[in-house]
Amino acid sequence: MFDPIVFDNLKVVVEGEIYDLDLSGQVSVVNREDLMDLARFTRTYRISFQQHSCCTATLALSTDLDSIHAELTPSRQEKPGCTVFIAFYIKQAVAYTIEDCNEIRTLCERVWGENRVIEQRVIHEVDTDEYENEVKVMFNRFVYEDQVADLIEMIDYMLQTMDQLKNYYDQQSHDKRL
């Protein structure tokens, strides 16, 4: 057995919180990855879930060798932490317009705050009618063990964002049928 690092402790909290939502029927966990990259000495944990069929949300925690070393070396002054990545994947059968992307960014900024960087990437596989908008919410800071409440709050924000995306998706589908 090994002594868990900050990454492990945060991972357990995130995993427990999301699986509690899954057990209560609020979300459905659709994927989970616990990766160790031995070439770069990084660890990444990703968990993806759906609340509505139009959108999948992913929360990822990541740490690197420097953070692990800082934690395991008492003489180092750095505070060990993890980076957090949030992404939403929205699929639809019609192409995304610039207006769609701007509206989705505005919707995300209302939930996450205007100072957050929102990146979008639209993906279309040739010869299909499927378009996917990958929406990333970027954080420019580490999350530390004493900020577990922030992680739980991020999950609540993810649920709010998924509700907003579903409302937008439903409205767009309705408008395109008219």
Side-chain angles (χ1 to χ4, degrees), residues 16-29 51 159:
E17 193 71 24
I18 292 175
Y19 272 109
D20 282 348
L21 292 170
D22 183 76
L23 287 172
S24 72
Q26 291 179 279
V27 303
S28 178
V29 173
Q51 184 179 29
L159 296 173

Side-chain angles (χ1 to χ4, degrees), residues 83-147:
T83 54
V84 177
F85 305 93
I86 305 286
F88 301 92
Y89 302 90
I90 316 150
K91 292 185 179 184
Q92 65 182 30
V94 294
Y96 284 92
T97 65
I98 294 295
E99 291 79 22
D100 289 330
C101 292
N102 288 336
E103 186 62 36
I104 289 170
R105 185 185 66 244
T106 300
L107 175 151
C108 288
E109 287 173 346
R110 272 187 255 142
V111 175
W112 295 93
E114 290 183 12
N115 59 342
R116 215 49 79 219
V117 175
I118 309 294
E119 292 181 358
Q120 293 183 66
R121 183 173 64 151
V122 176
I123 304 159
H124 171 68
E125 189 172 325
V126 177
D127 295 331
T128 70
D129 289 336
E130 191 170 283
Y131 296 82
E132 181 178 70
N133 189 350
E134 176 187 42
V135 181
K136 291 183 180 178
V137 179
M138 310 301 285
F139 302 91
N140 295 324
R141 67 177 182 97
F142 281 105
V143 174
Y144 303 103
E145 203 165 26
D146 59 351
Q147 296 172 317

Side-chain angles (χ1 to χ4, degrees), residues 39-105:
R40 288 187 245 156
F41 292 104
T42 62
R43 290 191 60 194
T44 302
Y45 175 77
R46 282 191 288 267
I47 187 163
S48 300
F49 56 94
Q50 291 181 326
Q51 184 179 29
H52 311 288
S53 61
C54 68
C55 177
T56 301
T58 299
L59 187 147
L61 288 173
S62 187
T63 192
D64 60 14
L65 180 60
D66 195 47
S67 289
I68 295 169
H69 184 255
E71 183 171 2
L72 299 177
T73 308
S75 62
R76 291 202 41 192
Q77 300 299 313
E78 299 93 316
K79 187 175 180 180
C82 294
T83 54
V84 177
F85 305 93
I86 305 286
F88 301 92
Y89 302 90
I90 316 150
K91 292 185 179 184
Q92 65 182 30
V94 294
Y96 284 92
T97 65
I98 294 295
E99 291 79 22
D100 289 330
C101 292
N102 288 336
E103 186 62 36
I104 289 170
R105 185 185 66 244

